[in-house]
Amino acid sequence: MPHHKPLLQFTPQGIYCAQADVHLDPWKPVKRALITHGHSDHARWGHEHYLTHHRNAPIIRHRLGDIQVQEVAWGDPILINGVKFSFHPAGHIIGSSQIRVEYRGEIWVFTGDYKREDDGLATPYEPIRCHTLITECTFGLPAFKWIPQREVFEEIHQWWRENKDSGKTSVLFGYTLGKTQRLLKHLDQSIGKIYTHGAVENMNEVLRHYVDLPETTRITKDTLKSELIGSLVLAPPSTHGSAWIRKMVPFVTASASGWMAFRGARRRRAIDRGFVMSDHCDWPSLLDCIRETGATKVICTHGYTDIFSRYLRELGYDARTESTQYEGEQGELDPKIASESDVNDDTEFPQTA
């Protein structure tokens, strides 16, 4: 069973399986890429062939254009030169997967990005037994502990009602892919009408074929500012401070992100209100998920890798860190980085009348 080299290695191109000559979520162009989900720090342009879950395939086609994609269902084994690969739900966003890799009885799992809470939209995370786990730890600090999603939406709805009563438009920022659909799925439409930025609506149109999303209205050049008063607008973080949003005055802004657990994050971005909601595991969930896999070796990639891996070693795991180019939820903190940089702002400004 032992190999001369690890089953999965970290190379300048990405996570590499030499036996099968494939990469997992590579950050540089490769011949064959297995992709966990559609965020642009994991699904990048330039690979010759893509292999991913069938619900993620239309997402990456939308974002990357004309690419060669092989689609698989969760749990279906793909055999490549004796190595068995399979995709399993990660619960991060729609179509997100973990990748299980098995060769001669040795099993590795790459989590990609994942969360434990069932958000009612993404297929819930499933723990996969393995010997070695490659895990993200975006929020791998004890300070990060999420409250239930239901309570977050109660806060959001109260904020929206107050804004409506004061004659203002509520602008809620979130990732174009994943977070805005999660928000949309659970917003109370009895409060008011929901409008969307063009980039958000384009992604909604891709996903409506697979999931049930409430009705929304795209903001166009014909949208009157007066229509937006009392309504809620879902928009990418990159629109904050733009000419597009300034046309909506008077408005109030908010962001839904795990980073809103840090008081300074909201103030630094000049956001009026922060709601703590993440599509990644918090500290307790990370520890529970790792324990449930049965893994004894853990490799920590993006996030608070040093602190988290040190804590895992104190618990008795053989834990270490590896550098990658994954960004976790940083795009909701800094919209200029890659996770949201491919957002096409094709939305016209609303009319001021």
Side-chain angles (χ1 to χ4, degrees):
M1 186 178 79
H3 321 296
H4 295 296
K5 293 183 178 178
L7 182 55
L8 296 178
Q9 306 167 60
F10 288 79
T11 70
Q13 288 71 38
I15 301 173
Y16 180 57
C17 178
Q19 178 65 28
D21 191 22
V22 302
H23 289 80
L24 280 59
D25 286 359
W27 44 83
K28 290 185 178 179
V30 300
K31 184 176 180 182
R32 193 165 192 180
L34 279 62
I35 303 297
T36 60
H37 66 283
H39 282 149
S40 55
D41 54 331
H42 288 260
R44 297 173 187 255
W45 184 84
H47 311 310
E48 290 186 31
H49 302 276
Y50 295 76
L51 176 65
T52 193
H53 185 262
H54 66 80
R55 282 202 170 177
N56 187 44
I59 294 171
I60 63 174
R61 285 195 183 99
H62 170 72
R63 297 199 115 173
L64 303 178
D66 185 18
I67 56 174
Q68 292 190 41
V69 186
Q70 180 184 351
E71 304 178 20
V72 295
W74 277 310
D76 282 358
I78 302 291
L79 200 63
I80 305 174
N81 197 28
V83 183
K84 186 163 72 175
F85 297 88
S86 54
F87 288 67
H88 303 268
H92 173 55
I93 60 171
I94 297 169
S96 62
S97 300
Q98 307 168 79
I99 301 177
R100 181 183 184 274
V101 185
E102 180 178 358
Y103 183 64
R104 294 181 177 177
E106 183 178 354
I107 301 170
W108 289 50
V109 168
F110 171 47
T111 65
D113 291 339
Y114 66 116
K115 74 171 180 292
R116 192 177 178 86
E117 183 179 29
D118 179 0
D119 65 11
L121 196 60
T123 303
Y125 166 85
E126 295 178 2
I128 308 298
R129 302 286 293 182
C130 61
H131 301 105
T132 303
L133 182 71
I134 301 174
T135 179
E136 61 127 334
C137 51
T138 301
F139 294 104
L141 285 180
F144 294 111
K145 187 177 180 181
W146 312 143
I147 63 173
Q149 172 176 280
R150 173 182 49 78
E151 296 179 25
V152 179
F153 275 98
E154 288 173 0
E155 294 178 1
I156 292 173
H157 291 151
Q158 180 62 29
W159 169 77
W160 184 5
R161 289 189 190 96
E162 291 171 358
N163 297 337
K164 184 178 181 180
D165 290 345
S166 59
K168 296 177 181 175
T169 301
S170 302
V171 182
L172 185 53
F173 299 120
Y175 271 155
T176 301
L177 168 61
K179 184 63 65 62
T180 52
Q181 288 78 37
R182 182 182 179 185
L183 292 166
L184 175 58
K185 178 71 177 178
H186 300 287
L187 284 172
D188 183 355
Q189 292 180 286
S190 70
I191 301 174
K193 197 170 179 179
I194 301 172
Y195 287 83
T196 50
H197 180 274
V200 171
E201 195 57 35
N202 290 344
M203 185 57 70
N204 288 347
E205 290 175 356
V206 173
L207 297 175
R208 285 185 195 280
H209 295 286
Y210 308 95
V211 295
D212 181 28
L213 294 173
E215 180 182 353
T216 51
T217 302
R218 179 193 295 260
I219 294 177
T220 70
K221 60 182 176 56
D222 298 322
T223 305
L224 296 175
K225 191 174 76 170
S226 57
E227 298 176 31
L228 301 177
I229 300 297
S231 301
L232 185 142
V233 177
L234 291 171
S238 57
T239 61
H240 188 35
S242 68
W244 180 81
I245 199 171
R246 287 196 294 272
K247 293 279 186 175
M248 298 182 192
V249 173
F251 63 87
V252 180
T253 59
S255 178
S257 169
W259 297 114
M260 293 300 112
F262 281 159
R263 289 182 187 174
R266 180 179 62 80
R267 286 199 302 271
R268 282 196 297 274
R269 292 219 55 230
I271 292 171
D272 299 313
R273 180 73 183 268
F275 299 106
V276 182
M277 176 185 284
S278 176
D279 288 326
H280 297 257
C281 284
D282 60 4
W283 171 268
S285 296
L286 282 169
L287 296 174
D288 288 344
C289 289
I290 291 170
R291 185 184 67 254
E292 290 171 358
T293 67
T296 56
K297 295 183 179 179
V298 181
I299 301 172
C300 303
T301 57
H302 49 305
Y304 291 94
T305 53
D306 291 338
I307 295 172
F308 190 64
S309 61
R310 186 165 65 240
Y311 185 74
L312 291 177
R313 287 194 293 276
E314 292 174 1
L315 295 177
Y317 290 97
D318 178 2
R320 62 184 173 89
T321 67
E322 287 283 355
S323 296
T324 68
Q325 294 187 16
Y326 309 136
E327 298 161 347
E329 210 164 81
Q330 287 291 332
E332 290 186 328
L333 194 65
D334 180 1
K336 295 178 181 177
I337 67 174
S339 294
E340 284 291 282
S341 63
D342 60 343
V343 169
N344 295 315
D345 186 353
D346 60 353
T347 303
E348 299 286 350
F349 300 152
Q351 298 294 307
T352 54

